[in-house]
Amino acid sequence: MDVKIEQSWKNHLQSEFEKPYFKTLTDFVRSEYQRRKIFPPAKLIFNAFELCPFEQVKVVILGQDPYHGPGQAHGLCFSVNDGIEKPPSLKNIFQEIHQSLGKPIPSSGNLTRWAEQGVLLLNATLTVRAYQAGSHQGKGWEVFTDSVIRVLSQKKENLVFILWGNYAQNKSALIDTGKHLILRSVHPSPLSAYRGFFGCNHFVLANEYLRMKQKQEIDW
């Protein structure tokens, strides 16, 4: 199957695109876009991969589902388009960066600049129906994104995987801890941020690890 995804990722994931589950997933997603309002826009489903080619990945942040409100989702987990109000979890992410690194809180919630520095902002599910959180879960996306995590773990070294909340932390079984750093905490959602997300220092620790491995730090 010819999937329109950034070429370096296509090279590493082509075997996934040939599997029966991916054809079933593609048929489902295509029919959903034809019949319903789906986010993100179809051309941005693989935006995280377009902005962060395989060879450039240094950090992986794992989300669960795209935002399901108008204008929010653009293919990067936790990120929203310019001019869109920052969701609560993203506000808390910026607050943690401000507290730990002293950086001013940006006016925009668009995290494209992170992706372009080598941060793969990967949702486990890459599409969603408008106003229906989780509506595309269990359709095959998780099989695909698990394979993305697995291939990164196997074929790269010295990555930082940032796993917030139980859902993301369950993906740690896919990661070789002998080759990569895993940072875990509760989710930055307002329901849990005060139970260990604030003060987790993940952005500091990620940069310390990258520096130790002679890699360019991320300008968070």
Side-chain angles (χ1 to χ4, degrees):
M1 182 181 296
D2 183 27
V3 176
K4 290 180 172 58
I5 193 170
E6 194 275 333
Q7 187 60 48
S8 66
W9 285 103
K10 180 177 279 194
N11 295 342
H12 287 285
L13 297 170
Q14 188 59 48
S15 63
E16 289 300 307
F17 302 145
E18 306 302 331
K19 293 179 180 177
Y21 88 86
F22 199 85
K23 165 120 183 18
T24 302
L25 170 63
T26 302
D27 290 345
F28 167 76
V29 170
R30 189 175 291 121
S31 71
E32 285 284 281
Y33 274 94
Q34 290 169 351
R35 294 165 44 237
R36 301 172 183 268
K37 183 67 173 174
I38 305 297
F39 297 124
K43 67 179 189 291
L44 296 177
I45 291 173
F46 295 115
N47 196 28
F49 303 89
E50 295 297 327
L51 294 171
C52 187
F54 185 86
E55 287 75 15
Q56 296 178 22
V57 178
K58 295 186 286 190
V59 178
V60 181
I61 298 179
L62 190 67
Q64 188 166 354
D65 225 24
Y67 296 122
H68 52 82
Q72 292 180 303
H74 63 129
L76 307 177
C77 73
F78 293 105
S79 179
V80 290
N81 283 301
D82 293 324
I84 298 294
E85 182 179 354
K86 294 190 284 286
S89 292
L90 183 56
K91 288 181 181 177
N92 288 339
I93 288 168
F94 284 145
Q95 184 63 34
E96 169 61 19
I97 292 170
H98 174 67
Q99 291 173 347
S100 61
L101 290 168
K103 291 183 176 291
I105 293 174
S107 57
S108 173
N110 190 328
L111 302 181
T112 294
R113 61 188 182 85
W114 291 8
E116 291 173 339
Q117 295 178 77
V119 181
L120 182 66
L121 295 162
L122 181 67
N123 275 317
T125 303
L126 298 187
T127 54
V128 69
R129 289 178 188 166
Y131 312 112
Q132 295 184 45
S135 49
H136 282 190
Q137 291 177 9
K139 303 297 185 182
W141 277 130
E142 298 91 339
V143 180
F144 172 69
T145 53
D146 279 1
S147 74
V148 171
I149 296 169
R150 205 176 285 112
V151 77
L152 284 167
S153 176
Q154 291 170 354
K155 297 190 177 182
K156 292 183 72 75
E157 294 185 354
N158 304 326
L159 299 180
V160 181
F161 288 87
I162 297 179
L163 309 180
W164 296 324
N166 291 334
Y167 183 88
Q169 289 176 35
N170 286 338
K171 305 295 184 179
S172 61
L174 305 170
I175 302 163
D176 183 346
T177 55
K179 294 167 60 182
H180 308 287
L181 174 66
I182 299 180
L183 299 174
R184 301 176 179 87
S185 86
V186 297
H187 196 274
S189 141
L191 298 174
S192 55
Y194 287 94
R195 299 204 307 268
F197 177 75
F198 290 129
C200 69
N201 283 322
H202 281 181
F203 303 99
V204 173
L205 293 170
N207 275 352
E208 286 179 352
Y209 182 82
L210 293 175
R211 189 165 63 245
M212 184 176 70
K213 300 299 182 182
Q214 284 79 52
K215 295 186 178 187
Q216 182 71 35
E217 298 174 36
I218 306 299
D219 179 9
W220 300 108

